Amino acid sequence: MPSHRILLIIGGGIAAYKCLELIRRLRERGHTIRVVMTSGAQQFVTPLSVGAISGTQVFTNLWALDGTHEIGHIRLSREADLIVVAPATADLMAKMAGGHADDLATAVLLATDKPVLLAPAMNPRMWAHKATQRNAMQLVADGIHIIPPTHGEMAESGETGVGRMAEPAQILTKIETLLGQPGPLTGLRVLVTSGPTHEPIDPVRYIANRSSGKQGHAIAEAAARAGAAVTLISGPVSLPDPNGVTVFHVETAREMLASATAALPADVAIFAAAVADWRSADTPNEKIKKAKGAPVPKLDLIENPDILRALAAPGPTRPRLVIAFAAETQAVLANAKAKLSSKGCDWIVANDVSAAGGVMGGTENTVHVVTAEGVESWPKLSKVAVAERLIAKAALHLSKRRT
Ligand code: CTP
């Protein structure tokens, strides 16, 4: 594993103590560390303890450049492959978003052209405040990476909410992903379908469904984070394209089939799209008019191609692992098990999409993963967490097959 030069900027928050573990883990992985501490950080951990753990001098002062070992903010930024700010406080984020440079940390951050990763940590109300959210969005738009805070109990107040800094292990994973370290799917190609399809009735009307694309898009992004080369075929959604993924936008089931087929070969194919089963047999070029006295038009439906069935059929281009979703409103497991054999896929991720569950369009999902070995029922998770788990399971499965 190649080692990298990481510049860690420690901000002034109680989570600063977690940086000691982050430094230890980074060093274990062979990375070289330099550390800048803000004056706030020094209220929580001392430069002495950070220096002892990191094995290097800790930089604290923008103006003290005359010491023998002191180097300036430009060199600190130039001699790093990646800058990590942990914990990133609300104040530090506000200064960065505004382009301030009144201490060593902010001067380094303004001077750098290297990738920057922030691990925010703060009181939940400060994180939720519109000003902080606005600053976070600005920083992302400026190309800065953020590993979001998680839900939990605040060390200082006992309050719970979103504001806890991500764990050092998660920060380390993110750092290594940004540095292009190999992931469990490096070298593999993954195809994902996501979102609904729109089937035209006439030039202005269409048949659709409630799929938001959140689950499929999260899977595509998780696969990219795991190192795969990912192609996402997306129906019409109002989501941004996931990071690090090649996206093709389609409208109809037939376009989705054509794009998905063109994206082969793939090692893994994950069919998360809610493809319309039927389309209108007749799609006039002109809008159907509501003429007075004329009969109400009747839709004549014909069946759409089944993309999953087509791509999962045995043959030289069949992906090694084909994962489908089963959207059910009743007898979820029984229907999913039946689909596993009838559709020719290897795994089915079954979810209950009845209106009461709020899965379609929502941010959470409760799924059962049906494989030839049996059924794994996962607890209610965010769609991002379902995506992470599914990709980790796929990576494990493929690594076992490789060995
Ligand atoms: N699927 C597909 N192409 C279709 C229909 C479904 O690729 N024309 C895929 C979906 O992406 C999903 C799986 O097939 O991975 C099952 O989709 P689902 O809608 O649950 O099943 P259907 O086969 O449409 O059966 P039904 O609607 O009767 O439950």
Side-chain angles (χ1 to χ4, degrees), residues 119-130:
M122 64 197 75
N123 174 278
R125 280 178 228 178
M126 291 170 80
W127 173 250
H129 195 284
K130 280 187 182 153

Side-chain angles (χ1 to χ4, degrees), residues 193-195 253 256 270-278 303-310 323-328 335 339 342-343 345 348-349 351:
T193 68
S194 180
M256 191 173 270
I270 304 174
F271 296 88
V275 184
D277 288 318
W278 305 282
E303 203 167 318
N304 261 331
D306 191 314
I307 303 163
L308 162 65
R309 204 186 292 272
I323 307 174
F325 271 72
E328 307 292 347
N335 280 331
K339 272 182 196 166
S342 74
K343 295 242 190 181
C345 49
I348 285 250
V349 182
N351 54 2

